[in-house]
Amino acid sequence: VMTGAGISTESGIPDYRSEKVGLYARTDKKPIQHGDFLRSAPVRQRYWARNFVGWPRFSSLQPNPAHWALSNWERLGKLYWLVTQNVDALHTKAGSQRLTELHGCMH
């Protein structure tokens, strides 16, 4: 199974692209690009400062029924592996163990 931002919206993490509620619709801020992160100390500082400020709320969010269902499927042997682009650790909080986090994890 592969998951992306949409699975975590019900847990309170907005995605980037949803009309009227996504991050792109609510702000002119765009994600920091990898090359910019590598080339610029101020960009890295902004990235880590933004993460630091948002960490208390972000880390307190909990898995939703979709995360729990995938964890249950794994436990029942119906899911071989889970791949996510999310960095929110909600799959781990739900108990998924056979997991690859493509972009790493904020925790």
Side-chain angles (χ1 to χ4, degrees):
V1 172
M2 297 181 77
T3 67
I7 198 168
S8 296
T9 56
E10 292 300 316
S11 291
I13 300 174
D15 63 29
Y16 284 102
R17 294 174 185 84
S18 290
E19 200 171 317
K20 298 181 183 172
V21 296
L23 190 60
Y24 291 161
R26 295 181 293 112
T27 178
D28 60 354
K29 301 277 189 223
K30 301 293 185 230
I32 293 171
Q33 299 299 307
H34 182 69
D36 297 333
F37 182 88
L38 292 177
R39 285 188 294 274
S40 171
V43 168
R44 288 191 297 277
Q45 290 169 339
R46 189 177 94 229
Y47 175 84
W48 290 114
R50 191 170 66 189
N51 287 335
F52 180 77
V53 168
W55 180 250
R57 180 184 172 280
F58 185 80
S59 65
S60 70
L61 297 173
Q62 296 301 311
N64 65 55
H67 296 102
W68 291 111
L70 292 173
S71 176
N72 190 44
W73 287 357
E74 179 184 325
R75 188 178 53 74
L76 295 172
K78 295 181 177 187
L79 184 150
Y80 180 72
W81 205 270
L82 176 59
V83 177
T84 186
Q85 67 177 6
N86 298 342
V87 298
D88 55 32
L90 295 177
H91 287 297
T92 301
K93 286 181 178 181
S96 292
Q97 295 179 5
R98 298 175 66 109
L99 173 67
T100 299
E101 297 167 312
L102 292 176
H103 298 293
C105 191
M106 293 302 296
H107 74 279

